[in-house]
Amino acid sequence: MDEVLTARRARPARHLPRLAGALIGIPLLFAASAHAETHPGQDALVREVAKDTGKSKASLNALLDNAKKQQAILDAISRPAEGKPWRDYRPIFLTEQRIAAGAAFYEEHRALLDGIGRKYGVPPEYIVAIVGVETFYGKNTGKWKVIDALTTLAFYYPKRAPFFREQLKTLLELPSNHLGGPVDTLTGSYAGAQGWGQFMPSSIRDWGVDYDHDGRIDMKGSMGDIFASIANYFVEHGWERGGPVAARAQPDTRVRAPDVPKDWRPVAPVESFVADGFAPVQHLNPGRDAQLVRLDGPSGDEYWFTFQNFYVITTYNRSPMYAMAVNQLAQAIRERAGGPAPR
């Protein structure tokens, strides 16, 4: 009896090594099938996108696995044109070639631009100027693959990684009818902006317009979508129909340069700046709220009263030099091409 019991107790013991070996192999099996991320933080992003959209993790990982870190993008973002002083920045955009091309572009698309201008209350020359500054009227929309640019900046540029990670996430979440082609074929700027108006993915999502009603928001191939999306962006950021953009201010000898504000929103009526020694060189409503901008011009400091519509342009690009270049290019195009009365 003792021998039988001993034998029965002994039988399971002979199988334990096999069972233990099988259990050890299970995690190895899962480890072998787990995705090894190509970029730091990729797996977490893929999980978020898959959860939010229901898209396949495998397809998302395939896109990101094929995206390349581009050192040239990291180099480019560290030396933006906005780092130049106004005296060097302005000649990049206020050239005879760009003004003439802008006037011709306006003439070519005048009916469409004027119609969109009336609908949104944004003067057509400002729409043209945005396209002119951003892409030279569609001739230079960017050589970088958008997926490469946003992957590089989301995962390898700590200074602004949260912003670019959100843009990459949005790109992966956008429906196909909001893009000018498959995600892995899109090209744009080194910062991941795409199309003639250089919209970031979140701008396409939030302010893109299907103006031609073809079921797509096409920022590359539809002039109506491009122009209306720019106008809609301006309106949604507070464009004032018929409002001024900027006017020159003449300082007296006792003034000191104003502090650089955190943004370019109007903060005080014109008359308060006049009291501080800054006189307008044209008639302005003394009660209209303004901001005061100092630019480093070719002949020394330039001072400008800027208004709500100037601030709106700075939401497209935060640099006041960018906004002033757009403003001055728009005025030059309107003078060259003519156009409807300012709104």
Side-chain angles (χ1 to χ4, degrees):
M1 185 67 168
D2 288 343
E3 291 176 0
V4 173
L5 289 173
T6 301
R8 286 176 179 169
R9 291 191 188 104
R11 282 182 194 134
R14 284 197 295 270
H15 293 286
L16 281 174
R18 294 180 189 172
L19 183 59
L23 289 171
I24 290 168
I26 289 172
L28 293 176
L29 210 64
F30 281 113
S33 64
H35 176 264
E37 62 181 9
T38 302
H39 308 285
Q42 175 178 329
D43 285 352
L45 179 64
V46 165
R47 285 195 300 271
E48 291 174 28
V49 175
K51 179 181 178 183
D52 291 347
T53 65
K55 291 184 177 181
S56 155
K57 289 182 182 179
S59 64
L60 293 167
N61 275 316
L63 280 171
L64 292 172
D65 288 344
N66 288 321
K68 302 293 190 296
K69 174 188 175 183
Q70 300 286 357
Q71 183 59 43
I73 288 174
L74 296 172
D75 295 340
I77 202 168
S78 68
R79 53 173 191 273
E82 284 77 16
K84 301 176 183 291
W86 174 239
R87 62 178 178 273
D88 297 328
Y89 184 90
R90 185 182 186 277
I92 298 172
F93 301 105
L94 272 295
T95 64
E96 171 57 28
Q97 183 184 18
R98 202 177 298 253
I99 293 167
F105 185 82
Y106 184 13
E107 288 291 351
E108 180 182 359
H109 302 287
R110 180 180 286 273
L112 179 60
L113 282 161
D114 286 355
I116 289 172
R118 285 190 296 271
K119 177 177 179 178
Y120 288 93
V122 178
E125 62 268 22
Y126 282 89
I127 301 171
V128 175
I130 287 286
V131 176
V133 167
E134 291 289 346
T135 63
F136 205 102
Y137 315 106
K139 291 183 173 61
N140 180 21
T141 58
K143 64 178 182 179
W144 298 103
K145 291 186 72 172
V146 171
I147 190 73
D148 285 359
L150 292 178
T151 297
T152 296
L153 297 171
F155 297 134
Y156 303 99
Y157 187 56
K159 183 178 179 180
R160 295 191 66 198
F163 170 78
F164 286 109
R165 186 185 188 278
E166 183 60 29
Q167 295 304 315
L168 177 58
K169 182 174 184 285
T170 302
L171 176 72
L172 296 173
E173 291 180 344
L174 282 174
S176 59
N177 67 349
H178 281 51
L179 298 169
V183 169
D184 58 351
T185 68
L186 301 172
T187 57
S189 74
Y190 65 75
Q194 58 191 285
W196 289 42
Q198 294 289 276
F199 270 39
M200 295 297 285
S202 62
S203 293
I204 297 173
R205 178 195 64 201
D206 296 339
W207 301 295
V209 175
D210 175 18
Y211 189 78
D212 55 17
H213 304 295
D214 67 350
R216 300 174 61 217
I217 297 173
D218 185 355
M219 302 299 291
K220 290 176 63 179
S222 169
M223 293 297 103
D225 292 3
I226 293 163
F227 300 155
S229 295
I230 294 169
N232 186 54
Y233 179 98
F234 277 12
V235 169
E236 292 297 321
H237 284 79
W239 185 269
E240 181 185 351
R241 183 185 287 259
V245 177
R248 194 68 180 265
Q250 181 63 48
D252 66 26
T253 55
R254 63 187 169 84
V255 302
R256 67 175 183 83
D259 296 330
V260 177
K262 66 177 183 179
D263 65 33
W264 301 102
R265 298 174 197 267
V267 292
V270 168
E271 61 190 359
S272 71
F273 293 107
V274 173
D276 289 337
F278 295 92
V281 299
Q282 66 189 70
H283 174 72
L284 296 175
N285 176 354
R288 178 180 284 276
D289 281 347
Q291 180 62 270
L292 191 66
V293 173
R294 182 183 68 85
L295 298 175
D296 185 4
S299 302
D301 288 344
E302 297 178 7
Y303 293 93
W304 294 83
F305 294 111
T306 61
F307 305 99
Q308 173 65 17
N309 290 344
F310 185 93
Y311 163 70
V312 169
I313 300 172
T314 66
T315 67
Y316 210 97
N317 180 306
R318 289 178 293 180
S319 167
M321 293 187 298
Y322 173 92
M324 192 62 73
V326 168
N327 179 53
Q328 293 188 4
L329 180 60
Q331 296 303 311
I333 288 169
R334 184 174 185 277
E335 183 177 346
R336 184 74 58 89
R343 296 164 179 79

